[in-house]
Amino acid sequence: MVRYPFSAVVGSDDLALALVLTTVSPSVGGVLVRGEKGTAKSTIVRALVDLLPAQRVVAGCRFACDPHAPDPGCPDGPHAADAPVEQRPARLVELPVGATEDRVVGSLDLGRALGEGRATFQPGLLAAAHRGLLYVDEVNLLHDHLVDLLLDAAAMGRTSVERDGVSVSHAADLVLVGTMNPEEGELRPQLLDRFGLTVEVAASREPHERAEVVRRRLAFDADPRAFAARYAPAQADLARRVAAAREAVGDVELTDAALAAIARVCAGFDVDGMRADIVTARAAKAHAAWHGRTRVTRADVRAAARLSLPHRRRRNPFDAPGLDEGLLDRLLEDLEDDPEPPDPGGEGPQDDGPGPPAPPDPDGAASADTPTDGGAQTPPEASAEQPSAADDANGGEDDGREDTTAGAAPAGLAHSGATFRPAVLRLAGVGAGDPGRRSRARTSSGRTVGWRVGASGRLHLPATVTAAARARGSGEHGRLRVAPHHLRSAVLQGREANLVLLAVDASGSMGARRRMAEVKTAVLSLLLDAYQRRDRVGLVTFRGTAAALDLPPTSSVEAAARCLESLPHGGRTPLAEGLVLAARTLELERLRDPRRRPLLVLVTDGRATAGADALERARAVADAWPGTGVQSVVVDCEAGRLRLGLAADLAARMGATHVPLGEVAADALLATVSAARAAADPQVPGRGRVA
């Protein structure tokens, strides 16, 4: 198979540099690549393996032991000092998102166990990746039990297997490279911190660069071998430069001034722990070696900090990672550049510039440099307008003026307060939804809690062998024979996730800033819980004359938080349209994933003022809601001295739990959701109760 050449890439210089640095010094700790779809993340990672030098391993060792320092505990050892040695290409092992635990850590060799009666260990992907690269595409979608295995391997450099009568421990010293699309959900903080460097990538907006991506991609697709041959000299030069930098990195001097600057930068960005300091120091030395320097300079520290700190600085869960490069430059003012000229011979980029460029992806989408400011992009904060005199007089009700479009100019923009960490909600019983971190469920992955007759799913080996042994007659000896009716499959238990759909009334009757701020704070706290539990979330809003699905159900609660924070309010109240759109959205999601249990959180004052017979239409939709089987909560936002009780009536018609806005501090809203789930019948699809 011919891979797209690393040297033929266009753009994504920061990504290429990060990959090169972790190749020069594997102790840097790997790379996490964050970016939108179609930005060549996978293509460039797979192309990296062609630049890695060949490895010397002990001949016949399934765990790739280094002949100069073999693992004393190697299951294939001990290896003699004069053991035969063989050379093999560097390995890049891919870990599929849907891999089983047996495939990752290894398991009992079933063929030998049944055929020879010997308990022999079959190595997994972690063993294959020892002294190489382990690549996980869509690493944020990796199941939690696999994440735990990666955390153990990254922390200890070893993997231990205690299962099915096998007790094995072997070295797993690997470089972890992961790619992810943030729109599909975030990464667990524990695993995020194990990546030494992180890079944000985005498609280029320069027409000439995009055209060059397409030109090269089409040429590669037409004749991969000829295209690779055209870049072979550049590939060879890069490989030689990587090999030279690997040899020289141990001799690079990290001066006291550079070390003090690294400590000052890490403290200035308020990072947690000391891993940031260590990774930055290692990356700075690798950067110096890559540019042919013998001493770490200001440029090396700056380049290393830009890649090692963005994902480690303290931030709220909904804040995008980034780095204030202005602050970085101020913190490095006291560290001077070494006068030694970098890159002898003029080869490669200078200072903290990018490394070799990155290749385009198979779809032809270009990659682009990360923004030079490095910081999280925050939209300018719009000022919330004061409620009108009519609003004050009517308690925030509609002013009677017809809003002809759903996108009419808002009456104001309220901002939420500080969120808090909510209580953990868990559903009683055992569901069957997608893997998550909220409720117990029968899943395709997780820990084994039992077995059932049949061969569907993962084989439960001890139960299978036991069934075959019991069926054998008392006088029979020799090899154990397993028939199809002896097979037993494992019953696995993990955690499932829910779907939380927020339906928010954004009409003029919700226009009082204080009320909208309280609502947004409560809902953002619920989103924080969804972020931690891997729920899917969606957002429906209704104002003017129509409802809109502002955010289709997604795992990216960060996108939901941004959408909610910028939600304007004003105009009339199309309540019926909002309920209809919410029901349609949930029905479509149920068709896509019938096992995921949904929860609707409707935030409204119960008024319906858009169009003729608006209130009657809303009540008709509410009367039909119990038939959907969706558990619901109605947050009553009605205010003022004269209250009509419309939201309470709406909740009664929907079979939903009703809670007044005055009781909705964020914790009160979550307690209401908990009580609503506790009251639901766990046997009804789409409902559950809190344990």
Side-chain angles (χ1 to χ4, degrees), residues 185-435:
E186 287 297 333
L187 201 61
R188 280 175 58 179
Q190 297 92 334
L191 184 58
L192 180 64
D193 188 54
R194 287 294 174 181
F195 285 98
L197 310 177
T198 186
V199 180
E200 296 278 338
V201 296
S204 173
R205 297 298 182 259
E206 294 294 333
H208 71 277
E209 188 170 307
R210 298 176 73 98
E212 182 61 21
V213 168
V214 176
R215 186 179 297 111
R216 295 190 186 188
R217 187 71 220 186
L218 293 179
F220 175 78
D221 291 340
D223 192 343
R225 294 188 181 278
F227 186 85
R230 191 168 71 189
Y231 286 91
Q235 287 283 103
D237 289 342
L238 279 175
R240 284 194 295 268
R241 190 177 171 198
V242 167
R246 287 170 69 104
E247 291 290 331
V249 67
D251 298 326
V252 173
E253 180 185 2
L254 180 64
T255 64
D256 290 341
L259 186 57
I262 290 173
R264 186 166 58 251
V265 167
C266 293
F269 280 101
D270 199 23
V271 298
D272 292 322
M274 295 299 298
R275 185 173 286 118
D277 304 63
I278 297 172
V279 170
T280 303
R282 290 171 175 169
K285 292 184 64 174
H287 190 268
W290 172 244
H291 289 278
R293 291 188 280 269
T294 59
R295 178 181 297 178
V296 171
T297 67
R298 179 180 185 274
D300 301 319
V301 175
R302 187 181 191 279
R306 289 181 60 247
L307 299 174
S308 63
L309 299 185
H311 61 303
R312 290 189 168 91
R313 66 177 180 85
R314 291 185 180 179
R315 59 188 181 93
N316 293 325
F318 301 134
D319 293 342
L323 202 66
D324 184 349
E325 294 198 21
L327 175 60
L328 176 60
D329 289 334
R330 291 192 296 274
L331 292 171
L332 290 174
E333 284 179 352
D334 294 338
L335 183 63
E336 296 182 356
D337 276 327
D338 195 297
E340 178 185 355
D343 287 325
E347 199 178 58
Q350 307 293 317
D351 297 324
D352 64 341
D361 66 359
D363 299 326
S367 298
D369 298 347
T370 47
T372 57
D373 61 4
Q377 299 300 312
T378 306
E381 186 172 317
S383 60
E385 297 181 10
Q386 296 290 339
S388 65
D391 284 343
D392 290 338
N394 299 322
E397 300 176 11
D398 291 330
D399 58 11
R401 293 173 291 181
E402 182 69 28
D403 188 358
T404 58
T405 63
L413 182 63
H415 297 281
S416 64
T419 58
F420 76 106
R421 188 174 300 275
V424 178
L425 306 177
R426 300 201 188 280
L427 301 179
V430 180
D434 284 348

Side-chain angles (χ1 to χ4, degrees), residues 345-519:
E347 199 178 58
Q350 307 293 317
D351 297 324
D352 64 341
D361 66 359
D363 299 326
S367 298
D369 298 347
T370 47
T372 57
D373 61 4
Q377 299 300 312
T378 306
E381 186 172 317
S383 60
E385 297 181 10
Q386 296 290 339
S388 65
D391 284 343
D392 290 338
N394 299 322
E397 300 176 11
D398 291 330
D399 58 11
R401 293 173 291 181
E402 182 69 28
D403 188 358
T404 58
T405 63
L413 182 63
H415 297 281
S416 64
T419 58
F420 76 106
R421 188 174 300 275
V424 178
L425 306 177
R426 300 201 188 280
L427 301 179
V430 180
D434 284 348
R437 303 221 306 264
R438 183 174 295 279
S439 309
R440 289 187 301 164
R442 299 278 187 246
T443 59
S444 59
S445 58
R447 62 188 183 92
T448 302
V449 296
W451 55 267
R452 59 175 176 268
V453 178
S456 60
R458 183 190 301 178
L459 182 68
H460 194 292
L461 184 59
T464 300
V465 173
T466 300
R470 288 176 176 174
R472 187 165 60 174
S474 59
E476 296 184 29
H477 301 282
R479 180 181 301 176
L480 182 67
R481 299 187 180 277
V482 179
H485 63 276
H486 296 148
L487 297 179
R488 303 291 186 266
S489 57
V491 176
L492 306 177
Q493 181 173 292
R495 294 283 180 180
E496 69 173 354
N498 291 342
L499 167 63
V500 178
L501 183 64
L502 307 170
V504 180
D505 181 351
S507 65
S509 60
M510 299 282 291
R513 285 185 302 162
R514 182 184 61 81
R515 281 183 288 149
M516 283 302 295
E518 290 177 2
V519 167

Side-chain angles (χ1 to χ4, degrees), residues 64-126:
C65 277
D66 186 347
H68 297 296
D71 177 18
C74 177
D76 286 353
H79 300 297
D82 58 348
V85 177
E86 62 184 10
Q87 188 165 288
R88 71 174 192 185
R91 287 187 176 179
L92 185 144
V93 178
E94 296 196 29
L95 172 60
V97 171
T100 64
E101 184 176 343
D102 292 346
R103 186 70 186 96
V104 175
V105 300
S107 63
L108 184 67
D109 190 324
L110 187 59
R112 288 192 175 185
L114 297 181
E116 304 175 10
R118 298 175 54 190
T120 306
F121 178 67
Q122 179 67 39
L125 295 178
L126 293 181

Side-chain angles (χ1 to χ4, degrees), residues 553-635:
T554 176
S555 297
S556 178
V557 294
E558 181 179 327
R562 289 196 305 266
C563 186
L564 182 70
E565 189 65 28
S566 60
L567 175 66
H569 51 263
R572 293 189 176 275
T573 310
L575 179 56
E577 288 75 5
L579 289 173
V580 168
L581 181 57
R584 186 184 306 126
T585 301
L586 292 174
E587 182 60 30
L588 289 176
E589 288 302 309
R590 179 172 291 177
L591 293 175
R592 293 191 182 107
D593 187 357
R595 300 179 304 168
R596 188 182 294 269
R597 294 179 285 179
L599 170 70
L600 175 71
V601 178
L602 176 62
V603 183
T604 182
D605 57 7
R607 288 178 172 81
T609 60
D613 301 325
L615 186 57
E616 287 72 13
R617 287 187 290 108
R619 286 173 173 172
V621 176
D623 288 338
W625 190 265
T628 64
V630 176
Q631 178 67 19
S632 308
V633 174
V634 175
V635 179

